[in-house]
């Protein structure tokens, strides 16, 4: 029997994928995934907010959410409560550091913008600094789309996470811009229009915003980090089809 909003119901089989079914365009893949997982996304959003009640745990909670969403994108089975808790504990330290860094960064950008905007009214040269702040902020947003996904996908040090996330900010520039419009745009609108959007914020904003990130950023993380790791380690890649030796149709039984 399922719990509240379906929590704990691990027996219901998934939709499955038909053999040799032609691959859909990614636009349609995303919306098919979204509507198929809508109830789960609502559950995940509520679970995420619960773990974010102490603000300091926003980073680890975001990492745990990203782990679940990565499983959804990869069409892997998910045990939401246990998988979320396991990812929360496993990535607690790095998630905590990244979360604190992001909170401090948001505060610093806000203060710097107010400081230079006030002075730009008297000296137009300060608009150059404001433009620089905006460019750094956008670049950091792009990097933030990758950092938690990398954290729950490959084993990297804190500084490797930071370095790689800013590299991806340039590598996936076109995808990053689209993600900024839809993911960050949806998140910002949900916050700006409170209290009208409070229900949306509570039920779907964070899980949907991060699902867009996971769906868009996962191909880059796989191509440049996950796939090279399996090739370098010389171990089978579970994400690539493995060649299986075909059994002969006829066998010689005269021996």
């Amino acid at each position: 029997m399922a719990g509240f909003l379906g929590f704990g119901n691990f027996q219901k089989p998934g939709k499955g994928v038909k053999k040799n079914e032609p691959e859909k365009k990614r636009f349609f893949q995303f919306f098919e995934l979204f509507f198929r997982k809508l109830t789960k996304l609502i559950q995940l959003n509520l679970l995420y907010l619960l773990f974010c009640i102490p603000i300091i745990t926003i980073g680890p909670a975001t990492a745990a959410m990203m782990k679940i969403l990565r499983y959804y994108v990869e069409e892997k089975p998910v045990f939401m409560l246990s998988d979320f808790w396991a990812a929360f504990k496993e990535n607690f330290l790095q998630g905590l550091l990244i979360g604190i860094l992001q909170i401090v960064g948001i505060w610093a950008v806000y203060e710097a913008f107010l400081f230079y905007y006030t002075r730009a009214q008297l000296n137009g040269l300060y608009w150059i600094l404001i433009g620089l702040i905006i460019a750094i902020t956008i670049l950091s947003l792009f990097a933030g789309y990758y950092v938690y996904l990398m954290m729950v996908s490959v084993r990297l040090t804190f500084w490797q996470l930071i370095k790689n996330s800013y590299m991806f900010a340039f590598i996936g520039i076109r995808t990053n811009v689209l993600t900024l419009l839809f993911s960050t745009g949806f998140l910002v609108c949900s916050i700006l229009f409170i209290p009208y959007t409070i229900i949306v914020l509570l039920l779907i904003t964070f899980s949907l915003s991060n699902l867009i990130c996971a769906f868009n950023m996962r191909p880059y993380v796989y191509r440049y980090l996950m796939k090279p790791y399996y090739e370098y380690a010389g171990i089978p890649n579970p994400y690539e089809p493995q060649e299986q030796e075909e059994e002969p149709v006829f066998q010689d039984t005269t021996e």
Side-chain angles (χ1 to χ4, degrees):
M1 180 177 179
F4 177 65
L5 283 178
F7 278 126
N9 184 8
F10 305 130
Q11 297 179 351
K12 185 177 180 180
K15 181 180 178 181
V17 180
K18 295 180 180 179
K19 186 177 181 180
N20 299 325
E21 183 178 3
E23 186 176 357
K24 300 182 179 68
K25 292 185 177 180
R26 287 185 60 78
F27 177 84
F28 298 105
Q29 287 178 3
F30 175 81
F31 281 102
E32 180 182 288
L33 176 66
F34 169 71
F35 287 113
R36 183 155 40 89
K37 298 292 185 181
L38 180 56
T39 302
K40 295 296 183 182
L41 291 173
I42 293 174
Q43 297 172 11
L44 184 58
N45 202 81
L46 294 171
L47 186 61
Y48 174 74
L49 291 175
L50 178 64
F51 274 75
C52 286
I53 288 177
I55 296 177
I56 198 70
T57 60
I58 288 178
T62 304
M65 170 183 275
M66 190 59 70
K67 185 64 171 287
I68 300 297
L69 293 174
R70 199 199 93 193
Y71 284 161
Y72 286 163
V73 171
E74 295 174 350
E75 299 290 354
K76 286 187 174 181
V78 174
F79 301 91
M80 186 177 295
L81 289 175
S82 59
D83 288 343
F84 189 98
W85 176 241
F88 182 86
K89 292 188 297 181
E90 182 181 355
N91 302 282
F92 184 83
L93 181 57
Q94 286 191 336
L96 184 68
L97 293 175
I98 294 294
I100 292 174
L101 184 63
Q102 289 179 326
I103 292 173
V104 171
I106 292 172
W107 172 82
V109 166
Y110 175 76
E111 292 293 331
F113 183 84
L114 290 182
F115 179 83
Y116 290 117
Y117 180 78
T118 302
R119 281 152 181 77
Q121 308 306 311
L122 303 174
N123 188 340
L125 291 177
Y126 281 99
W127 286 106
I128 298 175
L129 293 176
I130 291 176
L132 182 61
I133 291 172
I134 293 174
I136 293 174
T137 301
I138 293 175
L139 185 65
S140 298
L141 280 173
F142 289 171
Y145 297 150
Y146 295 90
V147 66
Y148 290 105
L149 184 59
M150 287 191 296
M151 188 185 302
V152 299
S153 300
V154 290
R155 193 175 298 277
L156 298 171
T157 66
F158 176 79
W159 296 112
Q160 286 173 332
L161 284 172
I162 299 297
K163 181 190 70 173
N164 289 341
S165 63
Y166 277 93
M167 290 176 61
F168 279 123
F170 290 100
I171 292 174
I173 186 70
R174 180 181 176 184
T175 305
N176 298 340
V177 171
L178 292 174
T179 306
L180 176 68
L181 294 175
F182 294 100
S183 175
T184 304
F186 177 59
L187 176 63
V188 170
C189 289
S190 297
I191 295 174
L192 287 180
F193 292 101
I194 292 175
Y196 305 106
T197 56
I198 188 65
I199 298 299
V200 176
L201 196 72
L202 290 175
L203 295 183
I204 198 66
T205 291
F206 299 102
S207 59
L208 176 55
S209 178
N210 281 282
L211 177 64
I212 295 172
C213 291
F215 188 84
N216 285 347
M217 278 61 248
R218 197 266 179 189
Y220 292 98
V221 173
Y222 174 74
R223 184 187 311 164
Y224 294 104
L225 285 179
M226 298 169 66
K227 187 175 181 179
Y229 165 76
Y230 289 111
E231 292 175 352
Y232 178 80
I235 57 179
N237 187 339
Y239 299 99
E240 295 287 342
Q242 303 296 320
E243 294 185 1
Q244 297 181 352
E245 186 176 344
E246 295 184 1
E247 295 183 359
V249 178
F250 300 101
Q251 294 182 345
D252 186 1
T253 60
T254 60
E255 295 181 2

